[in-house]
Amino acid sequence: MRFFASLALIVASFASLWANETSRSLPVRGLAIAAPNPASLSQFIEFVETELVPRGLNTLVLRIDYRFAYTSHPELQSENPLTLEHVKRLVECGRRNDIELIPQINLLGHQSWAETTGRLLAVYPEFDETPHVKMPETYEWPNEDGLYCKSYCPLHPDVHDVVFALVDELMEAFEASSFHAGMDEVFYIGDERCPRCAGKNKAKLFADEVTRVRDHLAASGRSLWIWGDRLLNADTTGLGMWEASANDTHPAIDLIPKDVVICDWHYERAEATPPYFALKGFHVLACPWNKPQVGLAQLEQALSFRKRSNPVLAERHLGILLTYWSSAERFMEIYADPDSVEQQQRGPIDTLNTLFPKP
């Protein structure tokens, strides 16, 4: 038994060394995580500089949403927001360490979570795609309304004046060249009771919204990143309604601009979908979460694709974006003491260690 345990450690060690040598060849080596709270900002900056930079990470997608002290729409600020001064400290950290900071606001979907309505629809309920769907006192899935997260109506005449003001303010604060709009898991779109969207093609509705956001950013020389699940066919791929679309948005893949960067998340297996996006003309990132073996397989796929494809295709696979879906504070806490939590909670830390080993 000791022999096999030792052999497993040796194999893991070689895999880690291999990942360390090869992952650094990828153009993008990133982490998508919630931005820290103001009280944890100094700790987070130190964590980036002492723990992430030595691993070779060069990109941070920071989920902000409404946790910024917006001046364009102060009514949309959440409690205890990051201020402009806080953001500038993050910008300086990125500049010192050659890390690209990409701020994120969830657009279109993810306008609620569980029993809580997000700030946009709480303040502007007229933007709700499905106002007839009431938020439950206790959330359960599945439910009769098919409620996962609320969406805003992409055809409401006033919604973009509001959300683009937030996007512009955040991009200026972060001095960023790319913006992440989320746009994953959009289950409510083209609702039959929406006075503007009813009866319209859902793929076109989705594509038009992606294009609208992209065009707004492009006007100031900035680029758009989104999650890729709504562009995959749930049935054809066998991926199901979460990692792919079961509500007819997938044809949008042929309708959106090719300079949109696709973040292709898959957590159970290293699905062979990044080449599909590359063949469609997009730059793409493979996005693991909490299973090191899946992340390692995605890394192997990325490296193989870049090595074996012709130069035009090869350069479209940008690399790896590790995702984490709790707070920055929780990530740092588990990182400091991984043995204190169960395997699933430790999984993202193990995946980080596997893909981007610390020298």
Side-chain angles (χ1 to χ4, degrees), residues 49 60 77 137 177 181 228 240 258 310:
E49 296 189 322
L60 283 175
Q77 296 177 22
E137 292 185 9
S177 59
K258 300 302 183 184
N310 69 73

Side-chain angles (χ1 to χ4, degrees), residues 10-323:
I10 292 171
V11 171
S13 177
F14 274 112
S16 180
L17 289 171
W18 175 84
N20 189 42
E21 289 300 317
T22 54
S23 64
R24 290 172 183 264
S25 70
L26 297 172
V28 177
R29 308 174 298 276
L31 171 65
I33 191 170
N37 292 320
S40 304
L41 181 62
S42 295
Q43 179 190 3
F44 183 75
I45 290 174
E46 181 181 3
F47 178 78
V48 169
E49 296 189 322
T50 61
E51 302 300 331
L52 299 185
V53 171
R55 296 174 182 274
L57 272 75
N58 63 4
T59 305
L60 283 175
V61 174
L62 295 175
R63 294 193 302 279
I64 308 293
D65 290 321
Y66 304 102
R67 296 190 303 117
F68 179 66
Y70 295 105
T71 59
S72 58
H73 287 280
E75 72 278 9
L76 291 175
Q77 296 177 22
S78 61
E79 294 183 4
N80 196 28
L82 292 167
T83 65
L84 181 60
E85 181 182 357
H86 293 139
V87 168
K88 291 305 181 185
R89 290 181 60 192
L90 288 168
V91 171
E92 286 302 315
C93 172
R95 186 175 291 122
R96 283 194 306 271
N97 297 285
D98 293 322
I99 292 179
E100 181 179 7
L101 301 182
I102 301 175
Q104 176 180 338
I105 303 174
N106 276 311
L107 298 185
L108 193 55
H110 278 277
Q111 301 303 319
S112 69
W113 183 252
E115 301 90 15
T116 303
T117 303
R119 292 295 299 164
L120 182 67
L121 299 189
V123 176
Y124 296 102
E126 64 270 27
F127 295 164
D128 194 344
E129 173 75 7
T130 55
H132 55 279
V133 176
K134 305 304 179 185
M135 297 299 293
E137 292 185 9
T138 303
Y139 180 81
E140 294 182 352
W141 178 267
N143 55 74
E144 291 184 0
D145 292 319
L147 172 63
Y148 175 56
C149 295
K150 287 268 193 174
S151 302
Y152 66 66
C153 172
L155 297 185
H156 192 285
D158 300 323
V159 68
H160 295 101
D161 288 342
V162 175
V163 297
F164 284 168
L166 303 184
V167 170
D168 290 347
E169 189 173 350
L170 201 61
M171 294 297 283
E172 288 295 327
F174 274 91
E175 303 173 33
S177 59
S178 297
F179 171 77
H180 202 304
M183 305 188 81
D184 58 317
E185 299 172 335
V186 178
F187 292 171
Y188 285 155
I189 187 169
D191 188 80
E192 62 183 13
R193 294 173 64 174
C194 176
R196 294 166 294 272
C197 299
K200 289 186 166 53
N201 182 288
K202 293 182 180 182
K204 189 173 187 306
L205 283 170
F206 186 83
D208 285 351
E209 183 64 5
V210 172
T211 302
R212 192 177 291 113
V213 178
R214 177 267 177 198
D215 288 352
H216 179 80
L217 291 164
S220 56
R222 293 158 171 155
S223 63
L224 172 64
W225 291 30
I226 64 171
W227 304 113
D229 52 282
R230 297 305 92 188
L231 303 175
L232 298 171
N233 186 320
D235 293 330
T236 300
T237 61
L239 290 170
M241 65 184 289
W242 301 94
E243 295 179 53
S245 170
N247 61 343
D248 300 322
T249 63
H250 59 274
I253 194 169
D254 294 318
L255 302 174
I256 66 175
K258 300 302 183 184
D259 58 3
V260 175
V261 177
I262 307 299
C263 300
D264 185 28
W265 65 271
H266 300 289
Y267 298 156
E268 298 301 319
R269 290 168 299 276
E271 305 288 355
T273 46
Y276 173 67
F277 285 112
L279 286 165
K280 285 287 187 178
F282 297 97
H283 286 86
V284 62
L285 292 152
C287 303
W289 173 36
N290 69 342
K291 293 187 175 182
Q293 68 275 18
V294 174
L296 192 59
Q298 288 169 317
L299 173 59
E300 291 170 347
Q301 286 182 356
L303 294 166
S304 177
F305 185 82
R306 287 178 61 83
K307 179 180 179 180
R308 300 178 188 282
S309 300
N310 69 73
V312 173
L313 277 179
E315 65 89 25
R316 290 182 188 153
H317 199 315
L318 296 178
I320 301 290
L321 180 68
L322 175 63
T323 63

